[in-house]
């Protein structure tokens, strides 16, 4: 049976693309109505200089949007929802023209949009239409390119003259990305506000500690003499970003800075880090990395050295802490060395009966004091309806809402989040201001300690405004949540880098630039290392205790295994071949041969290299007969991805009296980054587990043909025991296979994953 029979058709979206192709002309008709009836009035109301804004031509072209692939999430999500990730590709021949004051004409003639659109169907209901609503958004900023026409004229318009082409693209992209969501309720019982503003998944606290071995970018004497670098880091989660301080002339900088990011979707959102060398003209790139926050959520704490990508060398030390949003007051710890102890989430709905100006009511002395330039009284608008926005402030942090134009009953429907350091002393201050007249229309002060005694630490009501009219009110919902770390699930498997090592990894292998072909033999020389013990300690205290020099060396040595030949020289072991029996487990030499490294790395291995391997059930295992694993591998050109299916295992070793709780971990060697690590679910008490789980690696075909699959079968132990036993490994050389045709094969497991030559 062909290998691709094992892969579900849900990956393919051909049927969906055929529907889009057929319906595209009607989609264009619908979108033209949206542009003219909704977008055009909104643009006119947004700025006084855009009151004559008009769409003169709207044509969405003949090329429909394409969906390159669909991924469905049904495990680990709410039973009443379905999550879909759609790979969107839109290369449009559209033409949209606008006109302002009949003299300024501009438009768009062609555009490209590429990204991953998340679609959430919830709640699932037992009546037509089976789904209560649809929510969609981009998890991260998509690639957007627009071919502007007349952009120079457009940027001469007042209100737009301080913007650039790049700035406009940034604004458009940001409206598509979390926390912005587009929601469509399908039944009356589903409230739009609940769909648009769910509570965040949690908070990630990022400790940017230090970096090492950065590339020197500053040069002297016409580049003849290399200097150092002035490094700084940009950290980003979704639309939130922070920049570290700059460390002058240092290739091993120490920051010791802490940042906190709200995570709206996990799994889904990533932590992105880019490092630069600060220069007077253009900053030089020093490397980057991407960390999947869903894995941090599983591990709770990750304290690791991460290799920098897209650069010759360099690594950065990060400590990541996942904080859950709790309603447990016993977990509230204030004055935590300046770190946040809670998070305030405010949903701003609307306001009612606002005064037209601060003179309308005699008790509005506050607004008069706040306004120091009352020249607006000469304006004809002084008696018109206000254009109000809201300013929320806690201490020095200020956040503003959008402007609701020309109404005394404005509706905003926006959400805001604040990190809280001291609930008992901090206060939320709210000011409603007229955007045109620059005056205050009402204020409200809400001490956060009031939320501690409220039901579910939430206040959802209309609040009477001070220094406003007697019936002026603001409607909002304020929720306080304690930030604290939960204990991991005792049955969970560590999925981050912490699960793989006994301590911080001594990174020797440097990632080459993506534009260069990766060479698995390009490794530096390694020192003489001591022979590791047969039973290394598991990382029980790996997050809070420092590691000895011996531990670091032992970890480095555990990444490589050599087979001694009959004359005592170390020779590399070849990648595993299907069902080839081995007779013994060889004891590795401690001196490493750099020429053998490309064939001998099986990551995340324990140093089980003694002649007799003890298992928890008290038996000794003589090498050979560890069991087998069946894998299916195929390259899918349409998706430009390598698809790996873990079918099943058979005849595994019983790691305890009750059997084994096996799962499979996969790397696409030589990359050992967090994002490349894949794992299956755990199968309880089975030595013949059936997994039938599929994973994808986005990699060009030429690159995939040079790679190897590093596969390990492991026994999952409870969190409290801090143990994990290797059940066996295999290293599959993809250069020896026809990836387009695909293959399904049984492989014998061994302790080192390699077959003796």
């Amino acid at each position: 049976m062909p290998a691709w029979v094992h892969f579900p058709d849900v990956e393919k979206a051909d049927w969906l693309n055929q529907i889009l192709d057929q319906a595209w002309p009607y989609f264009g008709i619908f979108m033209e109505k949206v542009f003219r009836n909704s977008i055009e009035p909104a643009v006119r109301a947004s700025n006084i200089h855009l009151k004559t804004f008009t769409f003169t031509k709207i044509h969405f072209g003949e090329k429909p949007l394409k969906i390159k692939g669909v991924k469905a999430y049904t495990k680990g999500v709410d039973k009443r929802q379905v999550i879909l990730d759609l790979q969107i590709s839109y290369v449009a021949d559209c033409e949209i023209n606008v006109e302002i004051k009949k003299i300024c004409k501009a438009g768009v003639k062609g555009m490209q949009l590429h990204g991953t659109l998340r679609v959430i169907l919830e709640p699932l209901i037992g009546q037509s239409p089976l789904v209560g609503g649809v929510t969609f958004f981009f998890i991260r900023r998509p690639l957007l390119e627009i071919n502007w026409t007349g952009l120079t004229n457009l940027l001469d318009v007042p209100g737009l003259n301080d913007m650039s082409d790049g700035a406009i693209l940034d604004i458009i992209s940001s409206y598509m990305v979390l926390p912005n969501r587009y929601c469509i309720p399908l039944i009356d019982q589903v409230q739009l506000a609940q769909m648009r503003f769910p509570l965040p998944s949690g908070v990630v606290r990022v400790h940017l500690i230090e970096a090492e071995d950065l590339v020197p970018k500053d040069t002297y004497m016409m580049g003849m003499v290399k200097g150092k670098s002035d490094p700084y880091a940009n950290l980003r989660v979704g639309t939130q970003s922070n920049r570290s301080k700059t460390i002058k002339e240092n290739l091993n900088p120490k920051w010791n800075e802490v940042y906190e990011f709200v995570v709206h979707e996990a799994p889904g959102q990533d932590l992105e880090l880019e490092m630069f060398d600060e220069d007077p003209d253009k900053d030089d790139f020093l490397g980057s990395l991407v960390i999947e926050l869903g894995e941090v959520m599983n591990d709770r704490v990750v304290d690791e050295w991460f290799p920098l990508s897209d650069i010759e060398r360099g690594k950065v030390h990060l400590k990541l802490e996942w904080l859950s949003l709790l309603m447990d007051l016993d977990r509230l710890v204030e004055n935590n060395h300046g770190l946040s102890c809670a998070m305030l989430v405010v949903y701003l709905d609307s306001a009612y009966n606002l005064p037209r100006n601060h003179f309308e009511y005699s008790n509005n002395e506050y607004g008069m004091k706040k306004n120091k330039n009352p020249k607006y009284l000469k304006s004809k608008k002084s008696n018109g309806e206000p254009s109000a926005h809201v300013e929320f402030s806690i201490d020095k942090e200020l956040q503003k809402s959008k402007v609701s134009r020309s109404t005394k009953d404005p509706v905003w429907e926006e959400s805001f989040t604040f990190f809280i350091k001291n609930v008992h002393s901090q206060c939320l201050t709210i000011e409603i201001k007229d955007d045109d007249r620059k005056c205050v229309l009402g204020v409200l002060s809400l001490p956060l300690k009031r939320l501690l005694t409220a039901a579910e630490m939430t206040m959802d009501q209309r609040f009477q405004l001070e220094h406003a009219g007697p019936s002026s009110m603001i409607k909002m919902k304020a929720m306080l949540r304690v930030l604290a770390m939960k204990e991991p699930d005792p049955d969970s498997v560590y999925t981050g880098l912490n699960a793989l090592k006994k301590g911080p990894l001594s990174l020797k292998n440097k990632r080459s630039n993506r534009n260069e072909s990766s060479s698995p033999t390009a490794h530096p020389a390694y020192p003489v290392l001591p022979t590791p013990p047969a039973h290394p300690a598991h990382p029980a205290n790996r997050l809070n205790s420092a590691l000895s020099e011996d531990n670091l060396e032992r970890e480095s040595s555990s990444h490589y295994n050599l087979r001694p030949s009959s004359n005592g020289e170390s020779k590399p072991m070849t990648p595993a071949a299907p069902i080839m029996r081995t007779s013994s487990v060889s004891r590795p030499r401690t001196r490493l041969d750099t020429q053998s490294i490309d064939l001998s790395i099986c990551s995340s291995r324990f140093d089980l290299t003694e002649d007799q391997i003890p298992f928890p059930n008290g038996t000794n295992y003589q090498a050979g007969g560890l069991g087998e694993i069946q894998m299916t591998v195929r390259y899918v050109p349409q998706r430009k991805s390598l698809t790996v299916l873990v079918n099943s295992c058979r005849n595994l070793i019983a790691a305890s009296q009750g059997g084994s709780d096996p799962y499979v971990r996969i790397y696409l060697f030589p990359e050992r980054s967090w994002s490349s690590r894949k794992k299956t679910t755990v199968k309880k008490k089975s030595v013949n587990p059936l997994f039938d789980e599929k994973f994808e690696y986005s990699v060009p075909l030429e690159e995939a043909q040079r790679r190897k699959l590093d596969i390990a079968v492991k026994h999952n132990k409870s969190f409290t025991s801090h143990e994990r036993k290797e059940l066996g490994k295999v290293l599959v050389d993809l250069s020896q296979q026809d990836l387009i045709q695909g293959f399904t094969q049984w492989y014998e497991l061994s302790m080192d994953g390699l077959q003796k030559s």
Side-chain angles (χ1 to χ4, degrees):
M1 185 177 293
W4 56 85
V5 173
H6 293 281
F7 301 96
D9 288 337
V10 70
E11 291 182 358
K12 301 178 181 179
D14 293 343
W15 63 274
L16 194 53
N17 288 320
Q18 291 174 4
I19 294 175
L20 287 173
D21 189 46
Q22 192 77 4
W24 193 251
Y26 303 95
F27 174 81
I29 296 172
F30 169 76
M31 289 304 298
E32 182 176 358
K33 294 179 180 178
V34 172
F35 272 60
R36 296 196 184 280
N37 299 335
S38 300
I39 297 179
E40 187 175 286
V43 173
R44 290 180 175 180
S46 65
N47 193 297
I48 190 173
H49 303 290
L50 300 177
K51 285 194 171 182
T52 59
F53 179 92
T54 304
F55 286 106
T56 56
K57 183 176 182 179
I58 301 175
H59 178 58
F60 276 82
E62 306 298 329
K63 297 180 179 179
L65 178 145
K66 296 290 185 182
I67 298 178
K68 297 296 186 179
V70 180
K71 183 176 181 180
Y73 297 86
T74 55
K75 297 180 180 179
V77 299
D78 193 303
K79 294 296 184 182
R80 298 190 63 191
Q81 70 176 189
V82 175
I83 299 178
L84 304 173
D85 281 350
L86 309 181
Q87 301 293 330
I88 300 295
S89 179
Y90 183 37
V91 181
D93 57 346
C94 61
E95 185 173 0
I96 302 174
N97 297 327
V98 301
E99 183 180 88
I100 302 175
K101 295 183 178 178
K102 297 190 179 296
I103 54 174
C104 179
K105 298 181 180 180
V108 172
K109 191 171 184 179
M111 63 175 291
Q112 292 191 40
L113 175 66
H114 305 277
T116 301
L117 183 72
R118 173 158 290 188
V119 180
I120 301 178
L121 309 176
E122 67 173 343
L124 302 180
I125 56 178
Q127 61 188 42
S128 179
L130 300 181
V131 177
V134 180
T135 302
F136 54 95
F137 51 84
F138 285 95
I139 295 176
R140 58 190 65 86
R141 204 178 87 162
L143 172 64
L144 177 65
E145 295 181 2
I146 298 178
N147 182 26
W148 301 100
T149 60
L151 182 61
T152 304
N153 295 331
L154 181 65
L155 295 180
D156 289 336
V157 176
L160 298 178
N161 51 10
D162 58 343
M163 303 182 70
S164 64
D165 184 1
I168 292 175
L169 291 177
D170 288 343
I171 293 173
I172 296 174
S173 297
S174 67
Y175 275 102
M176 305 177 182
V177 182
L178 279 174
N180 298 296
R181 299 169 184 255
Y182 295 88
C183 306
I184 304 174
L186 300 180
I187 59 175
D188 295 337
Q189 292 84 348
V190 174
Q191 297 183 5
L192 181 62
Q194 293 178 346
M195 295 179 63
R196 289 184 59 193
F197 306 110
L199 271 176
S201 297
V203 170
V204 62
R205 179 176 290 157
V206 181
H207 298 255
L208 176 62
I209 301 173
E210 58 185 326
E212 283 187 3
D213 198 24
L214 299 181
V215 176
K217 290 291 186 178
D218 296 334
T219 58
Y220 306 97
M221 298 179 62
M222 306 293 292
M224 298 177 61
V225 179
K226 285 193 174 183
K228 296 186 178 181
S229 292
D230 305 322
Y232 69 90
N234 285 330
L235 298 98
R236 180 170 58 250
V237 175
T239 57
Q240 310 162 80
S241 62
N242 283 292
R243 172 178 166 162
S244 74
K245 63 185 177 183
T246 301
I247 308 296
K248 294 293 185 180
E249 298 184 355
N250 199 327
L251 300 180
N252 300 291
K254 297 182 185 295
W255 288 281
N256 292 313
E257 298 179 356
V258 182
Y259 307 96
E260 292 170 329
F261 297 95
V262 179
V263 183
H264 295 274
E265 287 287 321
Q269 287 189 285
D270 300 326
L271 168 66
E272 303 171 32
L273 181 146
E274 290 183 312
M275 202 165 291
F276 294 92
D277 166 41
E278 186 176 68
D279 286 322
D281 46 2
K282 183 180 179 181
D283 295 346
D284 296 317
F285 180 72
L286 292 177
S288 64
L289 62 88
V290 178
I291 298 175
E292 185 180 348
L293 294 178
E295 305 293 345
V296 180
M297 179 179 65
N298 293 334
D299 282 349
R300 310 302 186 195
V301 178
V302 175
D303 190 349
E304 300 295 344
W305 282 94
F306 293 89
L308 293 171
S309 302
D310 310 323
I311 198 73
E312 304 92 83
R313 65 176 188 267
K315 55 185 178 180
V316 60
H317 185 189
L318 300 176
K319 180 179 179 181
L320 310 174
E321 299 175 320
W322 181 266
L323 305 176
S324 301
L325 308 183
L326 308 177
M327 290 189 291
D328 186 359
L329 288 178
D330 294 335
R331 303 293 299 275
L332 181 64
V333 180
E334 297 179 299
N335 301 316
N336 185 20
H337 305 289
L339 301 177
S340 300
C341 65
M343 186 172 73
L344 176 68
V345 181
V346 179
Y347 169 63
L348 172 64
D349 187 282
S350 55
Y352 305 91
N353 298 317
L354 295 180
R356 289 185 174 86
N357 55 63
H358 64 255
F359 291 109
E360 184 169 337
Y361 298 100
S362 59
N363 67 339
N364 203 353
E365 298 88 356
Y366 179 86
M368 188 171 183
K369 291 178 182 178
K370 296 288 286 186
N371 182 57
K372 301 193 176 173
N373 187 15
K375 292 182 180 180
Y376 72 90
L377 289 174
K378 299 178 182 179
S379 173
K380 295 180 181 179
K381 300 179 183 179
S382 58
N383 293 321
E385 300 289 343
S387 296
H389 73 273
V390 181
E391 294 183 1
F392 296 93
S393 62
I394 296 180
D395 297 335
K396 296 182 179 180
E397 183 179 0
L398 177 68
Q399 298 187 39
K400 297 181 180 181
S401 75
K402 64 184 179 183
V403 178
S404 182
R405 295 284 174 184
S406 303
T407 176
K408 64 177 183 178
D409 300 317
V411 177
W412 293 285
E413 293 184 338
E414 292 184 75
S415 181
F416 305 87
T417 57
F418 293 87
F419 288 112
I420 307 301
K421 297 180 179 178
N422 194 314
V423 178
H424 290 86
S425 63
Q426 290 184 292
C427 179
L428 175 66
T429 301
I430 304 162
E431 293 185 337
I432 302 180
K433 294 185 176 181
D434 189 332
D435 192 61
D436 295 330
R437 305 180 182 93
K438 311 301 179 186
C439 66
V440 178
L441 303 176
V443 298
L444 174 66
S445 294
L446 180 62
L448 299 184
K449 61 184 179 182
R450 289 180 55 186
L451 292 167
L452 296 177
T453 58
E456 297 184 348
M457 301 171 67
T458 301
M459 298 180 71
D460 185 4
Q461 63 185 68
R462 296 184 182 183
F463 295 86
Q464 175 68 48
L465 291 171
E466 301 175 3
H467 308 293
S471 59
S472 298
M473 308 188 80
I474 183 172
K475 183 181 179 182
M476 67 178 192
K477 181 178 182 179
M479 295 175 286
L480 186 69
R481 293 295 182 265
V482 176
L483 297 180
M485 279 189 290
K486 288 183 177 179
E487 288 294 325
D489 185 345
D491 294 327
S492 67
V493 177
Y494 289 117
T495 55
L497 288 180
N498 270 335
L500 309 181
K501 299 187 290 292
K502 295 175 280 297
L505 174 63
S506 179
L507 291 167
K508 302 290 184 181
N509 302 324
K510 313 302 179 185
R511 291 186 179 183
S512 61
N513 192 290
R514 287 181 183 174
N515 297 327
E516 302 174 0
S517 61
S518 59
S519 175
T521 59
H523 295 277
Y526 288 81
V528 177
L529 301 175
T531 303
H535 311 292
H538 191 277
N541 300 313
R542 64 190 185 284
L543 302 178
N544 302 315
S545 62
L547 294 174
S548 65
E549 186 73 20
D550 183 59
N551 283 339
L552 290 175
E553 292 179 345
R554 189 160 64 245
E555 170 60 23
S556 296
S557 66
S558 69
H559 293 163
Y560 307 94
N561 280 282
L562 305 179
R563 182 180 61 82
S565 64
S566 58
N567 59 8
E569 295 181 356
S570 297
K571 292 184 178 181
M573 297 181 183
T574 58
I579 317 303
M580 296 294 292
R581 299 289 180 184
T582 57
S583 59
S584 64
V585 177
S586 60
R587 185 190 304 271
R589 292 171 60 90
T590 57
R591 187 174 184 86
L592 300 179
D593 182 358
T594 58
Q595 295 179 351
S596 66
I597 288 174
D598 64 312
L599 297 177
S600 62
I601 295 182
C602 273
S603 58
S604 182
R605 67 175 76 252
F606 278 31
D607 301 316
L608 301 177
T609 54
E610 298 297 324
D611 290 335
Q612 292 188 347
I613 310 299
F615 281 85
N617 58 8
T619 63
N620 287 333
Y621 165 71
Q622 299 290 340
L626 286 176
E628 298 166 354
I629 183 171
Q630 187 188 51
M631 306 291 298
T632 297
V633 181
R634 178 181 175 238
Y635 190 84
V636 184
Q638 297 85 350
R639 297 173 58 82
K640 295 182 179 179
S641 66
L642 180 71
T643 306
V644 180
L645 181 68
V646 181
N647 297 320
S648 60
C649 296
R650 64 189 180 192
N651 303 324
L652 297 179
I653 292 297
S656 65
Q657 296 292 348
S660 294
D661 296 339
Y663 68 96
V664 180
R665 185 272 301 139
I666 306 174
Y667 274 116
L668 185 60
F669 178 75
E671 186 175 0
R672 295 182 63 250
S673 67
W674 199 352
S675 59
S676 73
R677 183 177 187 268
K678 312 293 184 184
K679 71 174 185 66
T680 66
T681 56
V682 177
K683 303 300 180 181
K684 295 290 187 179
K685 294 181 173 54
S686 175
V687 293
N688 298 290
L690 176 64
F691 295 100
D692 196 23
E693 296 187 36
K694 176 171 58 69
F695 306 97
E696 285 189 358
Y697 291 93
S698 296
V699 59
L701 177 60
E702 298 78 12
E703 179 87 6
Q705 290 171 333
R706 296 195 296 266
R707 299 291 193 97
K708 301 176 179 67
L709 286 174
D710 176 10
I711 304 164
V713 182
K714 299 187 176 186
H715 167 63
N716 181 41
K717 299 294 289 184
S718 67
F719 173 72
T720 54
S721 67
H722 297 286
E723 293 181 8
R724 180 178 298 154
K725 278 292 182 183
E726 300 276 0
L727 299 182
K729 305 183 183 69
V730 64
L731 188 66
V732 180
D733 189 352
L734 299 181
S735 65
Q736 307 299 320
Q737 304 289 346
D738 184 350
L739 298 182
I740 297 296
Q741 178 70 17
F743 63 92
T744 298
Q745 191 63 266
W746 282 98
Y747 292 93
E748 183 187 7
L749 298 171
S750 63
M751 272 302 164
D752 48 27
L754 305 171
Q755 178 203 1
K756 299 179 183 180
S757 58

